[in-house]
């Protein structure tokens, strides 16, 4: 609450000193950053609209996944099976990843070729799938590995490990 009016994360603190202010919603943070770095969205208008759609779906959807598969980078909790509502969320996420990569991600390995906000929005799911050993097709496994190889993801993991220690 000291930083975020909603009391939730993420929260980006912008500015310096007494001129510092929060942006406390992930989509608002993404748009703020994209205003400064337009390459965070695909340049093609149709692809950009799709990237925004799958990002918004991640932002507002997949409640069963969030409820049943908490994010804990340091945990390993393989599941023998998923509740039906979680399995439906997992199926939809995989469908998004595979569709985007098949049509847009051939060059570069990300959902829309180069790293975009759409990839960032699904980064927490990478950890959930890893924690719970969610089985994914090879094309999705390739994207998961591309994400795990990012320096920012390794830094996130190192920070989580340090926090737990």
């Amino acid at each position: 609450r000291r930083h975020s009016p909603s009391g939730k994360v993420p929260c980006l603190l912008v500015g310096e000193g007494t001129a510092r202010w929060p942006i406390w919603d992930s989509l608002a943070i993404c748009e703020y950053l994209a205003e400064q770095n337009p390459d965070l969205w695909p340049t093609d208008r149709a692809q950009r609209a799709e990237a925004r759609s799958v990002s918004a779906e991640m932002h507002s959807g997949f409640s069963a996944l969030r409820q049943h598969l908490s994010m804990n980078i340091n945990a390993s909790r393989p599941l023998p099976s998923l509740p039906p509502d979680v399995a439906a969320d997992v199926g939809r996420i995989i469908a998004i990843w595979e569709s985007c990569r098949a049509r847009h991600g051939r060059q570069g390995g990300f959902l829309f070729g180069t790293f975009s906000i759409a990839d960032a929005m699904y980064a927490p799911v990478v950890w959930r799938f890893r924690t719970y050993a969610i089985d994914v097709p090879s094309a999705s496994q390739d994207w998961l590995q591309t994400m795990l190889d990012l320096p920012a993801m390794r830094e996130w993991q190192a920070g989580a490990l340090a926090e737990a220690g």
Side-chain angles (χ1 to χ4, degrees):
R1 291 228 180 259
R2 188 177 87 210
H3 298 294
S4 173
S6 69
K8 297 179 180 178
V9 294
C11 179
L12 177 65
L13 297 175
V14 181
E16 297 192 23
T18 58
R20 199 167 191 173
W21 49 277
I23 305 172
W24 63 89
D25 179 83
S26 56
L27 286 180
I29 292 168
C30 291
E31 288 301 333
Y32 175 82
L33 295 173
E35 287 172 354
Q36 297 167 47
N37 305 285
D39 58 335
L40 288 175
W41 287 121
T43 55
D44 177 82
R45 187 170 70 173
Q47 287 184 23
R48 190 169 54 253
E50 184 177 358
R52 283 181 166 139
S53 293
V54 300
S55 295
E57 186 172 353
M58 181 66 246
H59 183 264
S60 64
F62 309 117
S63 59
L65 179 97
R66 295 173 201 271
Q67 179 183 359
H68 296 284
L69 306 182
S70 63
M71 195 183 97
N72 184 338
I73 293 173
N74 301 323
S76 177
R77 299 179 182 139
L79 297 173
S81 64
L82 297 173
D85 53 347
V86 176
D89 282 356
V90 167
R92 175 63 186 143
I93 289 167
I94 290 170
I96 288 169
W97 293 349
E98 297 211 343
S99 174
C100 290
R101 289 208 51 219
R103 290 180 299 111
H104 312 297
R106 291 188 187 106
Q107 308 293 344
F110 294 101
L111 296 177
F112 291 87
T114 59
F115 181 82
S116 73
I117 288 170
D119 298 289
M121 290 297 290
Y122 284 89
V125 177
V126 170
W127 298 119
R128 284 179 162 97
F129 277 32
R130 190 169 183 216
T131 296
Y132 296 95
I134 304 299
D135 188 36
V136 299
S138 63
S140 289
Q141 187 60 45
D142 290 346
W143 179 80
L144 287 168
Q145 192 59 55
T146 297
M147 291 295 290
L148 288 168
D149 289 341
L150 287 171
M153 291 288 278
R154 289 194 301 263
E155 183 180 334
W156 189 1
Q157 183 178 34
L161 290 170
E163 188 177 277

